[in-house]
Amino acid sequence: MTLRRTDRLQRLSLRACVLAAGLWISGAAFAADLSLAAQDLPPPQAQSPQAQQQISKTNLAIARLQDITNRASELATQALAMLGINYRYGGNSPDTGLDCSGLVRYVFKEALGTDLPRTSAEISRVGEKVGKSDLQVGDLVFYNTLRRGFSHVGIYMGDGKFIHSPSAGGQVRIESMDESYWKKRFNGARRIAAGEEESK
């Protein structure tokens, strides 16, 4: 039994490392693409006012995309570092254990400097509502696990997976949102920007 659990933890750790490496590589490639694109632009004095305005809008959009990529990478890296931490009801520190909202609060505080409310229900009112088909790495996913809405929360990691601190006796782990248990209990998702505190 212990050997099987160790093998499972090793497989999860390997998947986490691959995911983190993928996020780092895609972020580096994205930054390189932006640098090359900037080199291809003509000098500002050679552009019409309309072209300059369009380039300004494009630069703003690129900056927002880069911000999303950086945010996702920071959140994912911090969350993956919590794999294997023991569940503890009311826990808010990796040293003593984390419950589901404690994990989310700790990761967002460390990665973005964002202070979130204590419970998953309170966290569900922060940020911007996101559709399931529009999920991005770092978004929060909520579940009804205690016969009440938004009683459980995790962090979306991409590819239909989320990381969470499940329940007593468990440890922080990655699971598929497509498993029937989670599919039936999905309550919604939220996206929280750095420093964001009010719901939209």
Side-chain angles (χ1 to χ4, degrees), residues 9-10 17 24 34 41 43 82 85 100 104 115 121 126 129 147 151 156 159 173 191:
L9 280 174
Q10 286 176 340
C17 290
W24 181 84
L34 292 181
L41 292 174
M82 299 296 104
I85 298 293
C100 67
V104 168
D115 286 312
V126 177
K129 191 174 183 180
R147 297 184 181 173
S151 52
Y156 185 67
D159 196 29
R173 63 181 184 238
R191 182 168 301 148

Side-chain angles (χ1 to χ4, degrees), residues 133-155:
S133 60
D134 297 320
L135 283 171
Q136 295 175 0
V137 175
D139 289 342
L140 298 182
V141 287
F142 295 89
Y143 295 91
N144 177 345
T145 57
L146 298 173
R147 297 184 181 173
R148 66 173 187 271
F150 305 99
S151 52
H152 189 68
V153 61
I155 302 170

